[in-house]
Amino acid sequence: MNPFDEIAVEEAVRMKEKKVASEVIALSVGPAKSQETLRTALAMGADKAIHITTAEGQEVQPLQVAKLIRAVVDKEKPGLVILGKQAIDDDAGQTSQLLAGLLSWPQATFASKIEFADAAKKILVTREIDGGLETLEAPLPAIVSADLRLNEPRYATLPNIMKAKKKPLQTLKPEDLGVDVTPSIEVLQVFEPAKRVGGKKVESVDELVSKLKTAGVI
């Protein structure tokens, strides 16, 4: 499981243990082997899982993933959606933001702490920024993406792994949700930037000014 997604599952399970969530649904988009990931989520404490199947090797871009999640959200009506902050194959880091835009829900990205306020009608999300920490308040329902410092995921115990095999795992196809997963972005070319030319030391300010004039900078 993507470590960021594992942290998201752990946080959701902890919310249920604290009685601020009533049900945890794990969702994955991918080929048949994605069910292994979902069984791990169920063993960690999720109540049920939904697998949206795609062909082995099929590319599903962040926008299409966000549309699939939106379709599930429309059916399941969750109060909070927690995602890992980014994929670990393409490192896109776009799905949570796109999902928030599609749903017109508030979002808090890169969460390192999540708390509930106003009788669990709002969330307070702490996130790390360049200058320190930032706390955001948002009404529910909302979208949150999990950063590495949010928690440390538990190890699934053998009894819970066995129980996970009996928990419901629903399988859907993109067409069941009315979503076309044809890629909307085509990568035409990937190349390295031009190598930088080494600098040169000058002996005086006059020489520096002269070289800048020659280069047309001043």
Side-chain angles (χ1 to χ4, degrees):
M1 186 187 298
N2 176 337
F4 299 108
D5 292 338
E6 189 176 15
I7 289 167
V9 172
E10 173 66 26
E11 193 67 17
V13 172
R14 292 186 186 189
M15 289 176 183
K16 185 181 177 184
E17 291 171 344
K18 294 176 183 176
K19 309 298 184 183
V20 292
S22 58
E23 183 181 43
V24 176
I25 304 172
L27 169 66
S28 183
V29 179
K33 62 184 179 183
S34 298
Q35 291 199 9
E36 298 175 13
T37 300
L38 289 171
R39 289 297 178 192
T40 299
L42 292 170
M44 290 174 66
D47 298 292
K48 69 178 184 179
I50 299 174
H51 178 207
I52 302 174
T53 61
T54 59
E56 184 70 40
Q58 180 181 4
E59 179 187 14
V60 185
Q61 296 178 347
L63 178 58
Q64 282 67 43
V65 174
K67 288 180 177 179
L68 290 168
I69 299 174
R70 177 186 63 177
V72 173
V73 167
D74 288 341
K75 292 178 63 177
E76 298 292 337
K77 308 296 183 185
L80 179 65
V81 178
I82 311 177
L83 306 89
K85 74 171 184 178
Q86 66 189 67
I88 55 173
D89 46 10
D90 58 14
D91 286 333
Q94 300 170 5
T95 303
S96 63
Q97 295 91 328
L98 289 166
L99 178 60
L102 291 171
L103 289 169
S104 296
W105 284 12
Q107 64 170 315
T109 56
F110 314 137
S112 60
K113 185 178 181 180
I114 303 174
E115 299 173 291
F116 287 85
D118 192 16
K121 294 179 181 178
K122 296 179 179 179
I123 53 170
L124 301 175
V125 178
T126 301
R127 57 199 301 270
E128 296 182 359
I129 57 175
D130 291 341
L133 298 175
E134 176 183 61
T135 300
L136 305 176
E137 180 183 273
L140 294 174
I143 309 294
V144 174
S145 68
D147 206 346
L148 286 174
R149 292 179 178 82
L150 180 58
N151 60 54
E152 184 174 343
R154 71 194 66 191
Y155 289 102
T157 62
L158 182 58
N160 286 335
I161 292 173
M162 300 305 293
K163 290 178 183 178
K165 295 180 180 180
K166 298 180 180 180
K167 290 183 178 180
L169 195 160
Q170 182 182 9
T171 301
L172 298 170
K173 295 180 180 179
E175 50 266 35
D176 296 332
L177 299 170
V179 177
D180 181 5
V181 294
T182 303
S184 55
I185 298 174
E186 181 183 0
V187 178
L188 300 178
Q189 186 180 10
V190 177
F191 58 91
E192 293 183 1
K195 292 184 178 180
R196 296 181 61 182
V197 179
K200 182 179 179 181
K201 291 184 178 180
V202 295
E203 300 296 331
S204 66
V205 173
D206 290 339
E207 184 182 357
L208 173 62
V209 172
S210 175
K211 288 186 176 297
L212 290 175
K213 286 183 176 178
T214 301
V217 178
I218 60 174

